[in-house]
């Protein structure tokens, strides 16, 4: 009896700690980056878990200000395997994005654990240790998908402002009704600052502090926007990457340069009564002071000066001198098994966007799947040898469905753009549009025919086809015969391209 009573009264602090869980991969962050990586890992049959500090999937978007809208059309806001449920050229709100992420996790049954905040990431031998409160998780691979917008970048002199001045950042601002009466100073003239200043100016005297960043000459949602967005998206997602010389040259400047205004224009800000003032550089008598010495008498200061990442919970030597992770396309070479996803310009200009994070997620999933144990490799080899379905061999592996590679997709866009430009330049507008909307074969044939046919024959044939309404099928590739280009024609095209230089016109 005494022994049992002693057992019941044992101090709980002396009880053995719970055994740590074990997963092959732990994804820290349940936003768009973490869900995209989870989607590709689930397709490969890997065992993983997603840890999200929010109480509900998508809460990081729900906590932004009420009128926030994306700057990219819904056509380019979908994650892998599920397009965004909105008209192609509409601009979703932040609540629509949050609901979409929640529906995405539910549709693909992704193992998301909400309300779990990771406190520390360390390494124990050849495994990573993820500490979240009293629980510990051991993992071979850890994907940091918590993003780069963790803490607002507020200057140090903000602490010297008068306590009666309300200070907010975009994460705590909701709508103008929460602001007290009096003037409002919005510090930061980027897209967020301009949109908030435009909204607040309806009810409060508003000043926008910061240098002018310029604006995009095309109005969001216009016909020109719909026409130019597809080639622009292809350029920023396929050309502006760390794998191209132009992308590597543009990356340092893109990381530090403020993007131009997209939705709100300077003329609209002036018409709304927003006063443009210089940069805010300090505090005088408890009030913000501008670089020209002017002291602002305001009741509210909104800090729209951007965000900075917070990776203090990562206890591993993986950071540069400026505190950014040292990686190549998200793979940390100094710490095998550690990856980053969702950072700005991780591998492309669109790496942090909804429509661009899928490429990085697929690449990271391929890296994780390639690090298999010898037993798993032999098992996978046996599956493929007998022809049975498996994570690396789908049911239609014998007769796979034809698909286009990323390089083929890039060529498709290029062929169509060149074909449309050729037709429109020579007056064949209808045929240019036909090539733009038709199959990739017609774009390639048009380009090959253009490069292998004498100039006078090309001009006469295109103009006559435009006048008579004939389709592109009637365009021959040579004057002497009505046939499509052959392999020899491609060789002649390549020779002509070698001799061509910019400014000399089309190759003849």
């Amino acid at each position: 009896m005494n022994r049992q009573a002693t057992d019941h009264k044992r101090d709980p602090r002396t009880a053995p700690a719970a055994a740590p869980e074990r997963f092959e991969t732990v994804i820290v962050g349940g936003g768009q980056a973490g869900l995209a990586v989870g989607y590709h890992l689930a397709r490969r049959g890997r065992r993983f878990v997603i840890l999200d500090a929010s109480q509900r999937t998508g809460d990081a978007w729900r906590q932004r200000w009420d009128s926030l809208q994306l700057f990219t059309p819904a056509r380019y806001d979908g994650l892998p395997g599920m397009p965004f449920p909105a008209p192609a050229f509409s601009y979703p709100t932040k609540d629509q994005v949050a609901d979409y992420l929640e529906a995405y996790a539910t549709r693909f049954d992704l193992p998301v654990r909400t309300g779990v905040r990771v406190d520390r990431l360390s390494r124990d031998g050849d495994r990573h240790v993820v500490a979240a409160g009293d629980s510990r998780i051991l993992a071979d691979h850890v994907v940091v998908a918590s993003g780069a917008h963790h803490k607002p970048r507020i200057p140090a002199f903000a602490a010297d402002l008068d306590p009666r001045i309300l200070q907010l950042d975009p994460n705590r601002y909701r709508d103008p009704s929460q602001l007290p009466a009096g003037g409002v100073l919005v510090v930061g003239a980027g897209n967020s600052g301009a949109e908030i200043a435009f909204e607040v100016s309806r009810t409060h005297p508003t000043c926008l502090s910061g240098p002018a960043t310029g604006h995009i000459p095309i109005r969001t949602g216009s016909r020109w926007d719909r026409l130019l967005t597809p080639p622009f998206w292809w350029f920023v997602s396929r050309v502006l990457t760390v794998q191209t010389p132009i992308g590597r040259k543009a990356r340092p400047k893109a990381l530090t340069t403020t993007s131009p205004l997209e939705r709100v224009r300077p003329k609209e800000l002036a018409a709304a009564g927003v006063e443009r003032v210089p940069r805010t550089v300090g505090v005088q008598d408890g009030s913000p002071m501008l670089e020209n010495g002017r002291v602002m008498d305001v009741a509210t200061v909104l800090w729209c000066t951007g965000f900075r990442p917070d990776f203090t919970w990562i206890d591993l030597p993986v950071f540069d001198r400026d505190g950014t992770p040292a990686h190549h396309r998200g793979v940390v070479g100094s710490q095998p098994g550690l990856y980053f996803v969702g950072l700005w310009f991780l591998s492309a200009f669109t790496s942090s966007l909804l429509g661009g994070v899928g490429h990085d997620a697929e690449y990271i999933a391929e890296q994780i799947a390639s690090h298999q144990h010898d037993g798993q490799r032999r098992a996978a080899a046996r599956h493929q040898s007998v022809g049975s379905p498996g994570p690396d061999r789908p049911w239609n592996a014998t007769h796979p469905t034809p698909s286009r590679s990323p390089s083929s997709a890039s060529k498709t866009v290029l062929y169509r753009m060149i074909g449309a430009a050729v037709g429109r330049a020579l007056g064949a507008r209808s045929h240019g549009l036909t090539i733009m909307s038709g199959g990739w074969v017609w774009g390639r044939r048009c380009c090959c025919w253009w490069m292998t046919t004498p100039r006078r024959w090309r001009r006469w044939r295109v103009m006559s086809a435009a006048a008579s309404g004939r389709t592109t099928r009637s365009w021959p590739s040579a004057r002497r015969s009505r046939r499509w280009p052959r392999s020899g024609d491609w060789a002649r095209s390549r020779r002509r391209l070698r001799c061509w230089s910019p400014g000399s016109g089309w190759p003849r």
Side-chain angles (χ1 to χ4, degrees):
M1 294 293 294
N2 294 337
R3 187 173 185 179
Q4 294 178 356
T6 303
D7 293 341
H8 284 293
K9 295 180 181 180
R10 182 175 297 171
D11 190 351
R13 292 175 297 180
T14 62
E21 295 183 87
R22 295 179 181 271
F23 287 94
E24 182 187 23
T25 304
V26 172
I27 303 174
V28 182
Q32 59 263 22
L35 296 179
V37 176
Y39 167 82
H40 286 290
L41 290 178
R43 290 189 61 190
R44 290 163 173 79
R46 321 308 299 185
R47 187 171 181 266
F48 66 96
V49 64
I50 302 176
L51 307 180
D52 192 7
S54 303
Q55 298 298 325
R56 182 182 173 190
T57 302
D59 275 353
W61 284 93
R62 295 186 181 93
Q63 295 172 359
R64 307 299 294 274
W65 71 89
D66 296 342
S67 61
L68 174 63
Q69 285 183 287
L70 298 184
F71 293 104
T72 52
R75 176 180 178 180
Y76 303 102
D77 295 332
L79 293 179
M82 182 177 173
F84 200 94
F89 281 94
S90 64
Y91 293 86
T93 64
K94 53 105 177 181
D95 291 328
Q96 290 177 326
V97 176
D99 296 339
Y100 167 76
L101 295 180
E102 190 173 25
Y104 187 88
T106 303
R107 175 177 178 178
F108 297 107
D109 196 21
L110 300 179
V112 182
R113 296 185 182 180
T114 57
V116 180
R117 181 177 296 276
V118 176
D119 302 322
R120 186 170 181 265
L121 172 62
S122 58
R123 194 175 183 91
D124 184 10
D126 58 347
R127 293 180 181 271
H128 292 88
V129 181
V130 181
D134 297 332
S135 61
R136 296 171 67 248
I137 301 177
L138 302 181
D140 299 327
H141 308 275
V142 174
V143 181
V144 180
S146 56
H149 303 87
H150 300 143
K151 292 185 177 181
R153 196 185 301 273
I154 299 177
F157 62 80
D160 300 331
L161 289 174
D162 193 323
R164 292 174 295 182
I165 297 179
L166 176 64
Q167 301 186 52
L168 297 175
D169 57 75
N171 284 339
R172 294 189 295 162
Y173 169 78
R174 293 294 176 269
D175 56 69
S177 63
Q178 70 182 119
L179 306 182
V184 178
L185 176 63
V186 180
V187 182
N191 280 288
S192 299
E195 291 202 350
I196 292 178
F198 184 76
E199 182 181 50
V200 173
S201 65
R202 302 169 185 170
T203 56
H204 297 74
T206 306
C207 297
L208 181 60
S209 173
T213 60
H215 67 279
I216 296 178
I218 300 173
R219 186 173 296 276
T220 302
S222 62
R223 296 179 60 184
W224 279 108
D225 183 36
R226 297 189 179 193
L227 178 64
L228 298 179
T229 295
F232 175 77
W233 182 266
W234 172 83
F235 177 78
V236 296
S237 60
R238 300 290 185 180
V239 179
L240 288 185
T241 68
V242 296
Q243 295 179 293
T244 62
I246 186 175
R248 290 190 294 269
K249 185 177 181 179
R251 185 176 185 271
K253 188 175 182 179
L255 293 175
T256 57
T257 304
T258 303
S259 59
L261 301 182
E262 297 188 28
R263 185 173 290 117
V264 179
R265 296 171 173 240
K267 291 183 179 180
E268 297 174 352
L269 292 173
V274 178
E275 181 184 358
R276 298 299 299 266
V277 296
R279 295 173 59 248
T280 303
V281 296
V283 176
Q284 182 176 343
D285 299 331
S287 299
M289 183 181 66
L290 307 180
E291 63 180 355
N292 60 358
R294 178 183 174 184
V295 179
M296 305 297 296
D297 184 14
V298 295
T300 306
V301 175
L302 287 168
W303 299 104
C304 300
T305 49
F307 292 83
R308 59 181 177 86
D310 181 19
F311 296 121
T312 55
W313 51 276
I314 300 180
D315 191 11
L316 295 171
V318 296
F319 301 100
D320 296 333
R321 295 180 180 179
D322 55 352
T324 58
H327 64 86
H328 177 68
R329 297 189 63 184
V331 180
V332 180
S334 60
Q335 295 291 331
L338 182 61
Y339 311 92
F340 286 87
V341 182
L343 300 181
W344 172 244
F345 217 130
L346 184 79
S347 67
F349 189 84
T350 58
S351 291
S352 61
L353 304 181
L354 279 167
V357 73
H359 297 285
D360 295 333
E362 184 177 10
Y363 177 77
I364 296 301
E366 292 176 355
Q367 297 298 314
I368 294 174
S370 63
H371 290 78
Q372 298 180 356
H373 299 293
D374 294 338
Q376 294 176 338
R377 290 176 179 173
R378 288 193 294 269
R382 286 196 299 268
H383 274 294
Q384 294 185 4
S385 62
V386 299
S388 58
D392 297 327
R393 185 181 180 87
W395 63 272
N396 59 346
T398 305
H399 302 286
T401 303
S403 61
R404 296 181 185 176
S405 61
S407 60
S408 299
S410 302
K411 292 179 181 178
T412 300
V413 178
L414 181 62
Y415 290 146
R416 292 177 182 175
M417 291 177 61
I418 293 178
V422 169
R424 298 180 76 128
L426 295 181
R429 182 173 181 180
S430 60
H431 286 82
L433 296 178
T434 301
I435 298 169
M436 192 71 175
S437 60
W440 72 278
V441 175
W442 305 119
R444 192 179 93 166
R445 286 174 175 174
C446 175
C447 297
C448 181
W449 171 80
W450 183 266
M451 301 298 297
T452 57
T453 310
R455 182 176 182 180
R456 59 183 181 278
W457 179 253
R458 287 197 307 258
R459 179 176 293 273
W460 178 85
R461 195 60 185 171
V462 171
M463 297 300 292
S464 61
S468 60
R470 283 188 293 240
T471 63
T472 55
R473 290 175 179 269
S474 63
W475 295 359
S477 63
R479 186 166 122 185
R480 61 183 178 276
S481 62
R482 293 178 176 268
R483 61 171 177 81
W484 291 116
R486 298 175 182 174
S487 59
D489 299 330
W490 284 105
R492 286 190 292 273
S493 302
R494 287 194 295 270
R495 287 195 296 269
R496 290 173 181 173
L497 282 173
R498 292 194 194 102
C499 303
W500 177 72
S501 60
S504 60
W506 285 93
R508 305 189 180 189

